[in-house]
Amino acid sequence: MDILVILIPASLFLGAVGLLAFFWAVRSKQFDDPEGDRHRILSSDWDDEPRP
Amino acid sequence: MTAAMRPATSACPACSAAPSAEALARMNEPVKPARIMLSLPTAHCAACISAVERRLLQYPGVSEARVNLSLKRVSIEAIPEITAEDMIRELDAIGYEAHELDAGILAATATDKRGRDLLMRLAVAGFSLMNVMLLSVAIWAGAADATRDLFHWISALIALPTIVFSAQPFFKNAWSALSVRHLNMDVPISLAIILAAGLSLFETIQGGEAAYFDAALSLTFFLLAGRYLDHRTRAVARSAAEELSALEVPRAIKIVDGKQQTVPIGEVCVGDLVLVKPGARMPVDGVVSEGQSEIDRSLLTGETLPVFAGPGTEVSAGEVNLTGPLTLRVTAAGGDSSLHRMADLVAIAESSKNRYTSLADRAAQIYAPGVHLLAFLAFGGWLMATGDFRLALNVAVAVLIITCPCALGLAVPAVTTAASGRLFKKGMLIKNATALERLAEVDSVVFDKTGTLTAGMPELSNLEAHDAETLRVAFALAEASAHPLALALASAARSAGIEPARVTELREIPGYGVRGHWQGRDVRLGRAAWLGAEAGPETATWLQIGAAPPVEFTFNDHLRDGAEEAVARLIAQGISVYLMSGDAEPAVASLASRLKIDTFQAEMLPEQKSDFVKRLSDGGVKVLMVGDGLNDTAALTAAYVSISPATALEATRVASDIVFLGSDLTPLGETLATAQKARSRIRENFGIAVLYNMIAVPIALSGFATPLAAALAMSASSITVSLNALRLR
């Protein structure tokens, strides 16, 4: 059962990383325009250079 | 001082360069970019995004353009010299229709703080729930002694901070209800969460067998999900309603020293001169000081007949100027204008919305005391029977958890979300939270005429009564004017295949009509009074050829698309339909007979309309009022539930519970059907919740409830009600 000492903190840590990633995504407004983003990912407009 | 320190000529080139660099920097200092918001109703695809953004970014001075396809808007950052009109013209050139939005009104919705806050709490609750559930599975699988205690402690470490953070909305609501000595759904929820967490902590410290951390967390999670759904539904409706208001950018053309200036309405004062162009709405109340025209009062009074306006005529905000430019001397602006006086009338009409208790609240009023009583009885009973305080407390908490209104908390939001989503697709915007429930109870509908059942567009009704010659002359004259009646006359003549006569010296006399010369005779088309004719009761324009007696062209108001179907469907559903209008008797009577409405009243004042609705309501009738005019506003408020079209003025839209966005009335019948279905789904969901309780409560009372049973019962009931709600889509 000693393995729990590693496994439980590890799983909590990974979960927390996911949670923080979600926080970041919400705060950086990535859910503001799901409809547009769905199309944007396929557009080739700024493939050669980043958007100014 | 700085001048003294800065020698005019210096040995060091950097020093002499410094001032000019400073000046340069000041010149290049970025001018604070102005933000322009446009609504793009026709944007729908990836190509639209690229086309719009590329075109706008090419425009000199535009630094940022971003399309939001979900909201169908584009936000532009540009130097202040660039106006919304430039951008609209630019988009029009590539075939996109755009309308300016008032960024000030929209700023409030841009950051939906409350929604994001709820989402964060939901995410935290979900994270903790999953981790604690994993640990709980191990315990249910038979972990014992030291391992179980360790797992309980870890669960406590995760669960307690989560509950403090995530369950705050419930605690706050419960506290505000309790502080006014009232019980709502949040009281049993908060009590169950706190007691479950507290007891579990106590058991953990004692090294006991059962801990309910997972139950406390899943309660929090499922109920937050319900709250979030509820919030989303309302946020979508609110942002669409705000977009409608933002489309009406309130501006006026003020005349200062003979020059025209476009200013926000807030800057117009009493005594100012304001120019109103033909086709524009009066921004303020005033007296005409210059110019002649006709004005359309239909939105204020419901009458379709345009009224003459010349120097000295009093006009009110909201009326439409039809033919000639008018200069107004402002008598009241902003809060004092007649628009706002109408709002006072609305405030007096007692709102039935405030008297309505939603199904969920009614359920909570029965439910909350019942649950507490049951848990207390269980505690007392077990304490007396066994004398074991800890066992009794355990049973009581199990009862509280199992009866906790998890399904109840989801039952209503899940259904209203599904139903509102469905209606939104049909163009119905549910603004009020309880509007759907109220709509389901409606048993009679009162319609306004002008602008609601009719499209507010006249249609020539006596084309056959005239000979070809008359029609040709009338057509030629009508083509010279932009007056709605002239446009209707011209389009009717065109579709009848009539060629216009050769009328020369055409001249529009604003406020009166059009005159010209035909075969050596004077010809005139216009108001009855101008031609010396006796005005009839119907909407009409008159034609005089030479000295012959004038002939009359009468007009009907064009029916709104789907009006006939909607009324027929309502009557078929057994709902009594009434028609009320501020318009003249014959027009109302002919429309009523066309739509087969038996009960109608004409020439009604705003107060009479709201009295009529009140009288019906006092007789126990649940009235749905459908209207668009300012004169309907009080009646809309007095009605049990109200609907107005998007073309109505803002004051009217605010007063109504539901706004329909399309121009078609057909979805009205379906809206009622959907509302009734939604109500029965809510009832079914309550039924399911009660059924679960009937099975689970005896088990909990008899002390057989384990944490596993509680978790299963809770999840199963929540999922069942959600699935049942989805059947509405």
Side-chain angles (χ1 to χ4, degrees):
Chain A
M1 280 312 214
D2 294 344
I3 194 71
L4 285 179
V5 178
I6 302 167
L7 277 185
I8 289 175
S11 74
L12 282 178
F13 171 75
L14 288 177
V17 168
L19 188 65
L20 287 179
F22 179 72
F23 273 17
W24 167 75
V26 171
R27 276 187 205 277
S28 58
K29 301 188 176 175
Q30 295 188 32
F31 297 101
D32 277 12
D33 183 17
E35 186 72 13
D37 291 339
R38 184 175 100 190
H39 293 295
R40 260 175 222 276
I41 195 164
L42 294 175
S43 101
S44 53
D45 278 3
W46 306 103
D47 280 2
D48 304 328
E49 34 159 354
R51 190 186 158 94
Chain B
M1 172 131 169
T2 40
M5 280 171 69
R6 206 179 280 145
T9 49
S10 162
C12 150
C15 294
S16 57
S20 65
E22 223 177 279
L24 210 71
R26 209 175 306 126
M27 263 174 61
N28 286 353
E29 196 174 285
V31 196
K32 197 173 173 288
R35 185 174 281 278
I36 299 170
M37 285 273 218
L38 302 179
S39 131
L40 282 175
T42 54
H44 65 279
C45 61
C48 304
I49 301 181
S50 321
V52 168
E53 289 184 355
R54 205 175 306 140
R55 179 77 180 203
L56 291 177
L57 283 172
Q58 273 167 9
Y59 197 89
V62 173
S63 53
E64 167 75 24
R66 192 162 175 98
V67 174
N68 185 327
L69 204 59
S70 314
L71 296 171
K72 294 201 191 297
R73 272 179 209 164
V74 56
S75 103
I76 303 162
E77 261 171 36
I79 52 172
E81 284 76 39
I82 292 179
T83 63
E85 281 81 60
D86 299 331
M87 299 286 101
I88 290 172
R89 217 174 304 123
E90 202 67 14
L91 289 175
D92 196 43
I94 52 168
Y96 289 100
E97 175 190 347
H99 307 281
E100 187 181 1
L101 293 171
D102 191 336
I105 293 178
L106 289 176
T109 44
T111 49
D112 181 9
K113 248 192 102 216
R114 214 177 98 78
R116 223 184 309 166
D117 186 62
L118 271 176
L119 192 61
M120 296 279 192
R121 292 186 205 278
L122 185 65
V124 171
F127 161 80
S128 306
L129 173 64
M130 277 187 268
N131 282 296
V132 170
M133 272 295 176
L134 276 179
L135 295 167
S136 301
V137 168
I139 300 173
W140 298 332
D145 306 329
T147 321
R148 189 185 59 210
D149 286 349
L150 174 69
F151 280 14
H152 276 165
W153 274 113
I154 298 173
S155 300
L157 278 180
I158 303 171
L160 294 176
T162 305
I163 286 169
V164 169
F165 174 67
S166 289
Q168 264 175 37
F170 305 118
F171 298 156
K172 275 185 197 150
N173 274 343
W175 178 250
S176 61
L178 282 179
S179 55
V180 291
R181 291 163 192 283
H182 181 78
L183 275 181
N184 64 2
M185 200 72 106
D186 284 332
V187 177
I189 292 174
S190 304
L191 200 68
I193 294 176
I194 292 175
L195 272 180
L199 177 85
S200 305
L201 188 65
F202 173 73
E203 288 286 317
T204 306
I205 294 170
Q206 299 282 320
E209 257 177 52
Y212 290 97
F213 289 118
D214 52 348
L217 281 174
S218 47
L219 265 184
T220 315
F221 179 75
F222 283 122
L223 289 166
L224 268 177
R227 271 312 131 85
Y228 183 66
L229 276 183
D230 197 39
H231 176 81
R232 286 277 313 173
T233 318
R234 276 186 231 180
V236 166
R238 198 176 45 232
S239 103
E242 267 166 11
E243 174 146 342
L244 281 179
S245 327
L247 273 170
E248 294 167 1
V249 184
R251 299 229 173 94
I253 304 172
K254 193 161 125 177
I255 301 179
V256 184
D257 305 328
K259 268 185 252 145
Q260 298 181 5
Q261 276 179 3
T262 307
V263 295
I265 277 183
E267 289 175 24
V268 176
C269 307
V270 173
D272 282 350
L273 284 178
V274 167
L275 178 76
V276 184
K277 291 184 178 162
R281 215 178 271 291
M282 308 287 170
V284 290
D285 287 1
V287 178
V288 178
S289 68
E290 231 178 280
Q292 279 170 354
S293 180
E294 276 184 300
I295 49 177
D296 176 359
R297 291 194 153 146
S298 61
L299 225 40
L300 270 77
T301 60
E303 48 189 329
T304 39
L305 214 57
V307 187
F308 173 79
T313 311
E314 281 186 26
V315 295
S316 327
E319 296 171 350
V320 180
N321 182 12
L322 290 178
T323 43
L326 287 176
T327 308
L328 308 182
R329 168 85 52 197
V330 179
T331 53
D336 302 324
S337 72
S338 50
L339 261 175
H340 284 262
R341 284 204 300 278
M342 197 67 90
D344 297 341
L345 194 63
V346 172
I348 296 166
E350 189 196 356
S351 169
S352 36
K353 284 152 217 164
N354 306 334
R355 274 182 280 138
Y356 183 80
T357 342
S358 73
L359 283 172
D361 283 344
R362 260 183 276 169
Q365 280 165 10
I366 310 169
Y367 194 85
V371 167
H372 293 155
L373 200 66
L374 201 62
F376 186 73
L377 286 179
F379 177 73
W382 277 88
L383 190 62
M384 276 203 290
T386 62
D388 185 344
F389 181 81
R390 197 164 139 195
L391 179 67
L393 194 62
N394 255 307
V395 170
V397 169
V399 168
L400 260 187
I401 291 175
I402 281 185
T403 53
C404 193
C406 209
L408 286 184
L410 267 174
V412 180
V415 172
T416 37
T417 306
S420 312
R422 185 192 158 114
L423 289 175
F424 192 60
K425 275 190 217 138
K426 302 245 181 267
M428 289 281 177
L429 193 66
I430 316 288
K431 281 173 51 207
N432 191 291
T434 58
L436 265 180
E437 291 175 24
R438 280 182 279 135
L439 196 61
E441 295 175 26
V442 160
D443 49 21
S444 53
V445 181
V446 177
F447 281 103
D448 165 51
K449 183 180 86 72
T450 322
T452 307
L453 283 176
T454 67
M457 272 190 314
E459 207 179 27
L460 185 63
S461 59
N462 66 345
L463 186 82
E464 304 79 28
H466 305 286
D467 57 56
E469 198 82 300
T470 319
L471 283 171
R472 288 179 57 218
V473 176
F475 185 16
L477 285 165
E479 274 193 322
S481 168
H483 190 282
L485 292 185
L487 288 178
L489 179 57
S491 86
R494 206 170 295 124
S495 54
I498 294 163
E499 289 280 312
R502 273 184 51 83
V503 177
T504 53
E505 293 169 47
L506 279 168
R507 203 150 51 85
E508 175 156 20
I509 295 133
Y512 295 104
V514 188
R515 72 186 309 161
H517 225 68
W518 177 69
Q519 296 185 348
R521 279 179 287 179
D522 253 351
V523 285
R524 296 193 291 174
L525 177 74
R527 299 181 69 84
W530 187 44
L531 302 176
E534 189 73 34
E538 280 173 283
T539 310
T541 185
W542 297 72
L543 174 75
Q544 190 177 34
I545 300 180
V551 288
E552 188 183 20
F553 288 88
T554 54
F555 295 87
N556 261 339
D557 211 352
H558 183 68
L559 264 189
R560 192 184 267 276
D561 289 336
E564 256 166 304
E565 290 89 331
V567 171
R569 184 158 174 185
L570 288 176
I571 293 173
Q573 284 175 14
I575 288 168
S576 19
V577 178
Y578 303 90
L579 179 64
M580 282 194 318
S581 178
D583 206 358
E585 172 96 27
V588 181
S590 85
L591 185 88
S593 71
R594 217 159 126 196
L595 294 173
K596 305 189 185 64
I597 300 175
D598 300 328
T599 328
F600 67 87
Q601 294 213 27
E603 290 169 37
M604 291 187 94
L605 295 173
E607 296 83 15
Q608 292 173 321
K609 282 195 177 193
S610 76
D611 282 346
F612 181 76
V613 170
K614 250 181 247 159
R615 255 203 319 282
L616 279 179
S617 312
D618 291 344
V621 178
K622 304 275 195 312
V623 185
L624 163 66
M625 170 85 201
V626 190
D628 82 314
L630 268 180
N631 56 337
D632 302 318
T633 312
L636 286 170
T637 318
Y640 195 60
V641 56
S642 50
I643 302 185
S644 68
T647 47
L649 286 180
E650 199 195 336
T652 314
R653 288 200 310 264
V654 167
S656 58
D657 301 307
I658 301 172
V659 173
F660 68 92
L661 303 167
S663 57
D664 197 325
L665 258 183
T666 328
L668 194 64
E670 205 185 317
T671 307
L672 279 180
T674 309
Q676 280 155 7
K677 230 186 270 170
R679 190 177 56 159
S680 62
R681 287 281 175 283
I682 292 177
R683 293 218 166 128
E684 279 169 32
N685 276 352
F686 284 157
I688 292 174
V690 168
L691 191 72
Y692 268 102
N693 281 338
M694 272 164 54
I695 299 171
V697 168
I699 300 177
L701 279 179
S702 49
F704 290 120
T706 57
L708 176 62
L712 280 181
M714 201 144 37
S715 313
S717 66
S718 299
I719 290 167
T720 327
V721 296
S722 307
L723 288 180
N724 188 38
L726 283 179
R727 289 202 294 143
L728 255 181
R729 275 222 172 247

